Amino acid sequence: MFFSRARWISVRFPRKAPMPQVDEGLVTAVCRVAQEAGRATLAFHGGAVPFERKVDNSPLTAADRAAHGIIVEALRRLTPHLPVLSEESSEQEAAGRLAWDTFWLVDPLDGTKEFIKGSGEFTVNIALISGAGPVLGVVHVPVTGVTYWGRPGQGAFKAQAGQPPVALHSRPADLERLVIVASKDHAGPRVEALLRRLGTASTAHLGSSLKFCLIAEGQADFYPRLQPTNEWDTAAAQCVLEAAGGGVTDLEGRRLAYNKPQILNPSFLAFGDPRHDWRALLGD
């Protein structure tokens, strides 16, 4: 489902819209868009945060709407020939998405529950999808000012505002000393059982797409997600992790794909070291 109260403007996009050149200029521009949207969210952060419930019972705040508006407008200026699919897009705006070959996939505020709690563990996620996968991913953390980005074959990077970027590399896994990241609110019984069974593993509980980024930085090894997510929750951070040397697959070992008939993702495994059979750790 797609939710927005914004007025719908009918725009037809060609199936084979020209692919923009994913160069340093585009990366810089998209990072700036994410940072601008992040600054807008901070105007609503702290104290009591009013919110309403969407039909799927997930929360929606003024910060979600503000970031959505900034990102959609900026991306349409940057690449007017490409459609934009955001978590806050209306059903009409998303009509015909299965015919799109290249498009922007956006979560304007990933981790709304953490935002409402006053936690800093929320992000702005922007991905460029071509075919069935991301070719550019940008994840911005408004509270810290940190921005992550990645492109296949071009590496993954992290930068603090005003600082030079640092290259990211996922680490080789030591199965005797794993660091497993899990959702604060959606770990689920199978993941909880895994954490109990692996007595030598340590656990980091994080909100939003920061879990992928921790693996991309080489500070964690494995993120099993067996509870529901949508495509906009994962695309940008998946691109960062893959560009850092890791991977994201479904439980059959297939790369997590996008623009599927259902926007809902299957259960997936995110990991830093592709050499291991991560599904075997689940014990079934």
Side-chain angles (χ1 to χ4, degrees):
M1 296 295 291
F2 307 92
F3 311 95
S4 177
R5 295 191 178 183
R7 183 170 58 91
W8 171 47
I9 301 174
S10 178
V11 180
R12 291 185 179 272
F13 294 99
R15 175 179 173 82
K16 294 293 183 181
M19 174 76 175
Q21 186 174 359
V22 187
D23 55 15
E24 291 296 331
L26 184 65
V27 172
T28 298
V30 177
C31 286
R32 287 175 177 165
V33 172
Q35 290 157 5
E36 182 184 357
R39 287 190 291 271
T41 67
L42 292 177
F44 304 92
H45 187 242
V49 178
F51 65 93
E52 59 188 82
R53 293 285 181 181
K54 296 186 283 193
V55 296
D56 66 349
N57 204 39
S58 63
L60 175 67
T61 71
D64 294 87
R65 292 197 183 94
H68 166 82
I70 288 168
I71 294 169
V72 170
E73 181 180 353
L75 292 179
R76 285 177 176 165
R77 288 197 308 266
L78 187 64
T79 54
H81 58 289
L82 290 183
V84 181
L85 176 60
S86 164
E87 179 177 6
E88 310 312 333
S89 295
S90 67
E91 292 185 6
Q92 294 95 331
E93 287 173 310
R97 69 175 180 85
L98 294 179
W100 301 344
D101 184 66
T102 304
F103 65 99
W104 295 103
L105 182 58
V106 174
D107 191 342
L109 200 165
D110 181 35
T112 301
K113 290 181 180 178
E114 295 302 317
F115 182 88
I116 292 169
K117 293 175 185 176
S119 163
E121 295 176 9
F122 61 93
T123 59
V124 176
N125 299 345
I126 303 175
L128 179 62
I129 305 296
S130 181
V135 295
L136 170 62
V138 173
V139 177
H140 177 64
V141 190
V143 167
T144 63
V146 170
T147 306
Y148 300 87
W149 67 92
R151 291 178 288 164
Q154 301 297 316
F157 300 87
K158 170 186 177 180
Q160 181 78 45
Q163 300 295 319
V166 176
L168 302 180
H169 303 282
S170 60
R171 68 187 186 186
D174 181 347
L175 297 184
E176 297 300 319
R177 290 191 294 272
L178 290 177
V179 176
I180 300 174
V181 287
S183 171
K184 285 184 173 180
D185 298 313
H186 303 289
R190 291 175 69 191
V191 173
E192 291 170 356
L194 167 66
L195 298 177
R196 288 192 299 269
R197 190 170 66 253
L198 296 177
T200 60
S202 59
T203 309
H205 290 279
L206 291 172
S208 72
S209 55
L210 290 170
K211 295 181 285 293
F212 294 88
C213 296
L214 202 66
I215 300 174
E217 290 186 78
Q219 296 186 42
D221 301 293
F222 186 37
Y223 168 33
R225 178 68 185 225
L226 309 180
Q227 299 294 310
T229 60
N230 290 304
E231 291 187 2
W232 46 68
D233 295 314
T234 57
Q238 175 176 343
C239 196
V240 172
L241 177 52
E242 290 177 339
V248 184
T249 70
D250 65 18
L251 298 188
E252 302 303 318
R254 298 173 295 228
R255 185 192 185 203
L256 191 64
Y258 292 86
N259 215 22
K260 306 180 295 295
Q262 294 290 332
I263 204 76
L264 196 69
N265 285 325
S267 297
F268 65 81
L269 308 176
F271 45 84
D273 190 340
R275 298 173 300 171
H276 291 285
D277 181 1
W278 294 101
R279 188 182 185 282
L281 288 181
L282 297 178
D284 57 10

